[in-house]
Amino acid sequence: GAGVSQSPRYKVTKRGQDVALRCDPISGHVSLYWYRQALGQGPEFLTYFNYEAQQDKSGLPNDRFSAERPEGSISTLTIQRTEQRDSAMYRCASSFPPPDTMLSYEQYFGPGTRLTVT
Amino acid sequence: GEDVEQSLFLSVREGDSSVINCTYTDSSSTYLYWYKQEPGAGLQLLTYIFSNMDMKQDQRLTVLLNKKDKHLSLRIADTQTGDSAIYFCAETPPSGGSYIPTFGRGTSLIVHP
């Protein structure tokens, strides 16, 4: 079946603009995660959902960042009033069991959205 | 990724073995993972090991875990050019019951003929 998809793949925006990044998880996957990956770094956790409920948003850097998953499938990560320091690769991942079970060892990652703020 | 440390680069000749090392800090980690990232693609889980194991072998891949030293390694036998990628070590400490992985910075493996 299809893997995790993300759109757009590349986004260039001017400082101060809002951006919305979309993630389409694998069909039937319960959990959806957002990560941010700076150049030369590993993915850094932002937030995750079980179904439509946001379970943990402790990794969101500030209140300009928000995420939603209203129907428990597609998710949108929104960054308001973008700043140059927001430039990074934003990755989405999904897994079938929720992450509070011992079975949830595998997350399936999408290709990411490369965000550049000029 | 400051809780998980990896060397940044490894260069090997095709056909040799590669060993990628990782150290982590949380002794209560339950799962330890190796992910592979190829250019333009997402991270792909290569293998994982439970914290109560000390070795796991899967075809050309061997994972060794030294819990005392909090050291994890990934050995790739007969390394091929297609193995060139960035390899991420990750751990999942069971904080609050959510197994969210913490990733290292990644090791770039370069395989040359």
Side-chain angles (χ1 to χ4, degrees):
Chain A
V4 178
S5 61
Q6 293 185 244
S7 61
R9 292 290 307 275
Y10 302 90
K11 177 70 178 179
V12 181
T13 190
K14 291 187 186 304
R15 188 179 55 185
Q17 297 293 307
D18 298 350
V19 294
L21 311 180
R22 174 184 164 129
C23 173
D24 201 339
I26 293 173
S27 177
H29 275 198
V30 167
S31 302
L32 184 147
Y33 315 78
W34 283 99
Y35 295 87
R36 179 169 68 175
Q37 186 175 7
L39 203 59
Q41 303 289 326
E44 177 189 21
F45 170 75
L46 295 177
T47 185
Y48 89 92
F49 295 82
N50 282 348
Y51 301 102
E52 72 282 358
Q54 191 170 21
Q55 299 293 320
D56 182 347
K57 54 182 182 178
S58 63
L60 295 176
N62 51 60
D63 60 9
R64 295 186 297 105
F65 287 73
S66 63
E68 62 174 10
R69 193 186 185 197
E71 297 178 0
S73 178
I74 294 167
S75 176
T76 303
L77 176 71
T78 302
I79 309 173
Q80 296 179 311
R81 305 180 302 282
T82 52
E83 301 177 6
Q84 286 188 321
R85 60 179 171 154
D86 299 333
S87 296
M89 177 74 83
Y90 288 83
R91 294 197 185 272
C92 172
S94 69
S95 67
F96 171 57
D100 57 350
T101 73
M102 291 289 287
L103 297 174
S104 59
Y105 53 80
E106 181 160 13
Q107 298 185 8
Y108 295 81
F109 282 81
T113 295
R114 170 75 64 191
L115 175 67
T116 303
V117 183
T118 61
Chain B
E2 61 186 350
D3 295 332
V4 179
E5 294 194 1
Q6 306 176 234
S7 52
L8 295 184
F9 298 99
L10 176 66
S11 178
V12 300
R13 193 177 296 276
E14 189 175 18
D16 288 350
S17 292
S18 308
V19 180
I20 303 172
N21 295 300
C22 168
T23 57
Y24 59 98
T25 57
D26 195 324
S27 59
S28 63
S29 293
T30 52
Y31 287 79
L32 294 132
Y33 310 84
W34 286 104
Y35 278 84
K36 177 182 181 182
Q37 181 182 330
E38 295 181 275
L43 280 71
Q44 175 194 4
L45 180 66
L46 273 184
T47 187
Y48 67 95
I49 189 167
F50 295 115
S51 57
N52 62 357
M53 299 167 64
D54 51 20
M55 187 181 94
K56 180 178 180 181
Q57 187 150 4
D58 183 1
Q59 298 183 346
R60 292 190 298 123
L61 305 179
T62 303
V63 179
L64 296 178
L65 175 60
N66 181 330
K67 284 193 72 174
K68 175 175 169 291
D69 295 338
K70 296 179 195 157
H71 182 266
L72 182 74
S73 68
L74 173 70
R75 178 176 180 270
I76 306 172
D78 186 26
T79 313
Q80 303 298 307
T81 54
D83 295 323
S84 294
I86 302 175
Y87 291 80
F88 291 94
C89 170
E91 64 168 350
T92 52
S95 60
S98 68
Y99 294 86
I100 306 292
T102 300
F103 290 86
R105 294 180 63 181
T107 299
S108 290
L109 174 65
I110 301 162
V111 182
H112 52 91

